[in-house]
Amino acid sequence: EPPLWNNSAFSHPRQPVVAVSWNDSNRYCEWLSASNNGTFRLPTEAEWEFAAAGSDEREFPWGEGFDPAYANTCESGIFSSTPVGIFVEGASPFGLLDMAGNVEEYTADLYRPYPGGEDIDDHLSQIHGQYRVARGGSFARFRDLARNARRHGHNPLSVTYAMGFRLAETV
């Protein structure tokens, strides 16, 4: 059971689950797949970015400029997760909601350089060695982390309450 499950600020039925690890998220996908005879999983980093940015590679799911009314980031002033879908103006080109803000979303991939890119030596790689990519920013982060192309991950030295996940299904 996630640690904030019974916290009224994070437990509305339509709010995303928060304060989960990548392993917990992956185990949920495995359980859901077995329970529903499907293949549910965390999206790859490339799938996540395409779902958020579309083929025109938008900076934010809704377009090029940031608008605090379109996503639950620090700029919105809410400072808590919100029910999924209340920021309808922030929809991606595919109609997906909350791709920017609300909770940071784990992907299936390890944080690695893009093909042909330089090795990554940031504070998270110094702490973790390897770590999973998170995308989308959250209610606890500023707009920079909500950009579609922004790659980041969980810092084990900080609170994990803004970490969640989005499901993908292989059909």
Side-chain angles (χ1 to χ4, degrees):
E1 179 174 297
L4 296 174
W5 191 264
N6 293 316
N7 182 320
S8 63
F10 298 97
S11 61
H12 185 277
R14 292 194 36 86
Q15 281 177 273
V17 173
V18 294
V20 294
S21 69
W22 184 89
N23 287 331
D24 290 339
S25 303
N26 201 49
R27 278 194 293 273
Y28 177 77
C29 292
E30 291 168 357
W31 171 84
L32 187 64
S33 293
S35 300
N36 291 282
N37 295 321
T39 307
F40 296 95
R41 59 187 172 73
L42 297 176
T44 66
E45 184 180 11
E47 288 171 331
W48 191 100
E49 187 170 340
F50 184 73
S55 59
D56 55 351
E57 300 177 353
R58 298 172 177 188
E59 183 174 10
F60 295 96
W62 55 86
E64 296 310 307
F66 181 78
D67 188 325
Y70 290 7
N72 183 5
T73 60
C74 282
E75 290 85 359
S76 73
I78 297 171
F79 303 113
S80 177
S81 64
T82 52
V84 173
I86 66 171
F87 290 90
V88 294
E89 299 88 359
S92 81
F94 301 104
L96 299 173
L97 299 172
D98 294 334
M99 296 296 290
N102 217 4
V103 298
E104 295 181 65
E105 299 176 357
Y106 289 113
T107 69
D109 296 334
L110 287 169
Y111 196 89
R112 299 189 191 279
Y114 287 128
E118 296 183 19
D119 283 339
I120 299 162
D121 184 26
D122 61 9
H123 71 288
L124 292 179
S125 64
Q126 293 165 9
I127 295 167
H128 288 292
Q130 292 185 326
Y131 60 94
R132 299 290 175 168
V133 175
R135 292 296 198 107
S138 75
F139 65 87
R141 307 286 186 245
F142 288 100
R143 66 180 171 208
D144 177 62
L145 288 183
R147 292 182 301 111
N148 293 330
R150 182 67 156 81
R151 308 170 78 205
H152 52 284
H154 166 60
N155 183 345
L157 302 179
S158 68
V159 178
T160 63
Y161 64 91
M163 299 302 293
F165 62 98
R166 179 177 298 266
L167 292 174
E169 182 179 14
T170 301
V171 290

